[in-house]
Amino acid sequence: MDMRKLGRTDLFVAPIVFGGNVFGWTADEKTSYALLDAFFDAGFNTIDTADVYSRWVPGNKGGDSEEIIGRWLKQSRVSRDKAIIITKVGSEMGPGKKGLKADYIIEAAEASLKRLQTDHIDLYLSHWPDPETPHEESLAAYAKLKQQGKIRHVGCSNLDATQLQASLDAAAEAGLPRYDVLQPEYNLYARDSFEGPLADLCVREDIGVITYFSLAAGFLTGKYRTKADTEGRARENRVAAYLDDKGLRILAALDKVAAETGAKPAEIALAWLLRKRGVTAPIASATSLNQLDALINSAKLSLSDDAMRLLDAAGE
């Protein structure tokens, strides 16, 4: 397995990170265990989740994904030191439980550690920007957690180039840990927010990048071709937004590369990300072992320069 160094951290991640947002939502606990077992058996080593997953599901309270991962870790043959666990703080978990105030970060980290049944989080991310809290306050809380050994590294999600640069400046001026990893939305369809200044900054500052919505909520698997295909699906509203001229151009390009390579559209979409400047590893989810095969195969797929140009042009 081609392990990739995650920015300036001492973490080496396999080319695909498993997206744990499906645990307790579209994958029940038994299925989640089977997926994680197969993922690690194939040589992969990193799981991404968040405290808020999957609070949006009726009957769930948030923390559901973390709890499933924690129980899996306890019964799994995978030792804790062989699994890299990423989780996040900042999304609303209830009244007064939101944002990046120092006290709340400390409280939320303790809750995540308890749900994950572990004594440390390998990578802890600020889930969203918090305009009401100075970067220095949040970073000081992360520094405290690092000193206590409760988190190993710090990162962020959903910051633009200006916000990320401001956080780096604040860390340097205050002598605090900086964000060493970014989790942006980035895929064949959604490119503008990462390509350009944000990617340039990540490359320049050696910030590891793990992309989310890497398969555009499943659209890039090719299974959604018409609005009728999305009806009744868990991600119906999100996927339907991709069914425009641009989305159909991308699907056509994926089909062409699939015909030439024998690979599935999902494998190609992930392999495209693995060749993009600044990207360390895409995050992708699966809810069945068949879907998981696409994630595994994408790490072995090498796209030609011609295929990359075709895909780039389709999504411009």
Side-chain angles (χ1 to χ4, degrees):
M1 184 65 69
D2 173 29
M3 296 295 180
R4 297 177 162 208
K5 192 170 188 295
L6 192 54
R8 299 197 315 184
T9 75
D10 61 2
L11 302 174
F12 285 82
V13 300
I16 303 293
V17 174
F18 199 106
N21 62 318
V22 296
F23 301 149
W25 176 27
T26 49
D28 62 21
E29 188 151 341
K30 181 180 178 181
T31 302
S32 300
Y33 284 15
L35 290 166
L36 287 170
D37 285 343
F39 187 70
F40 277 79
D41 285 347
F44 296 84
N45 68 336
T46 307
I47 311 167
D48 173 83
T49 188
D51 56 4
V52 75
Y53 300 163
S54 48
R55 192 169 181 263
W56 57 86
V57 178
N60 286 6
K61 60 189 181 303
D64 312 87
S65 173
E66 288 181 332
E67 288 177 347
I68 288 174
I69 293 167
R71 290 192 289 269
W72 172 79
L73 279 169
K74 283 300 178 185
Q75 60 83 50
S76 173
R77 57 184 175 274
V78 177
S79 60
R80 177 64 184 89
D81 64 320
K82 301 299 183 185
I84 295 173
I85 306 297
I86 304 168
T87 194
K88 313 178 197 74
V89 58
S91 292
E92 185 171 358
M93 290 288 285
K97 295 187 174 185
K98 179 183 179 182
L100 300 174
K101 296 291 186 187
D103 288 347
Y104 180 62
I105 287 175
I106 300 297
E107 175 189 335
E110 294 290 353
S112 286
L113 287 166
K114 183 176 181 181
R115 288 189 291 262
L116 289 163
Q117 298 189 55
T118 186
D119 62 355
H120 71 280
I121 295 163
D122 297 290
L123 175 59
Y124 201 36
L125 304 183
S126 295
H127 205 161
W128 300 94
D130 180 359
E132 297 180 1
T133 306
H135 291 298
E136 294 86 348
E137 178 178 343
S138 304
L139 295 173
Y142 293 130
K144 182 177 180 180
L145 289 168
K146 285 188 74 172
Q147 290 164 1
Q148 294 172 342
K150 293 178 179 178
I151 65 173
R152 292 175 61 194
H153 301 285
V154 186
C156 58
S157 184
N158 298 300
L159 268 64
D160 62 25
T162 300
Q163 293 165 330
L164 182 54
Q165 184 63 65
S167 78
L168 298 175
D169 293 343
E173 186 172 339
L176 293 166
R178 71 169 206 172
Y179 292 136
D180 277 325
V181 178
L182 174 70
Q183 186 176 129
E185 178 180 0
Y186 185 44
N187 56 56
L188 264 168
Y189 188 101
R191 291 166 54 180
D192 290 349
S193 63
F194 179 67
E195 291 180 359
L198 187 54
D200 292 344
L201 177 58
C202 290
V203 171
R204 185 168 65 248
E205 293 291 339
D206 193 16
I207 293 171
V209 175
I210 50 174
T211 62
Y212 78 87
F213 281 168
S214 304
L215 292 174
F219 173 73
L220 297 174
T221 65
K223 65 184 177 182
Y224 304 108
R225 304 281 175 155
T226 67
K227 193 173 187 306
D229 294 335
T230 71
E231 290 174 359
R233 300 298 185 106
R235 306 185 188 196
E236 176 181 352
N237 292 335
R238 185 173 293 280
V239 174
Y242 298 116
L243 287 168
D244 56 12
D245 289 344
K246 177 181 175 180
L248 295 177
R249 283 199 312 271
I250 291 169
L251 290 182
L254 286 169
D255 289 342
K256 188 172 191 302
V257 177
E260 293 169 351
T261 62
K264 296 176 181 177
E267 297 166 11
I268 297 163
L270 294 173
W272 177 85
L273 279 168
L274 284 166
R275 281 200 56 183
K276 296 307 285 185
R277 177 174 174 268
V279 173
T280 309
I283 301 166
S285 301
T287 57
S288 69
L289 294 177
N290 186 50
Q291 290 179 6
L292 184 64
D293 285 342
L295 274 58
I296 293 169
N297 292 336
S298 67
K300 309 169 192 172
L301 179 61
S302 179
L303 295 177
S304 68
D305 290 343
D306 285 345
M308 291 296 292
R309 282 191 288 269
L310 177 70
L311 294 165
D312 283 341
E316 283 180 349

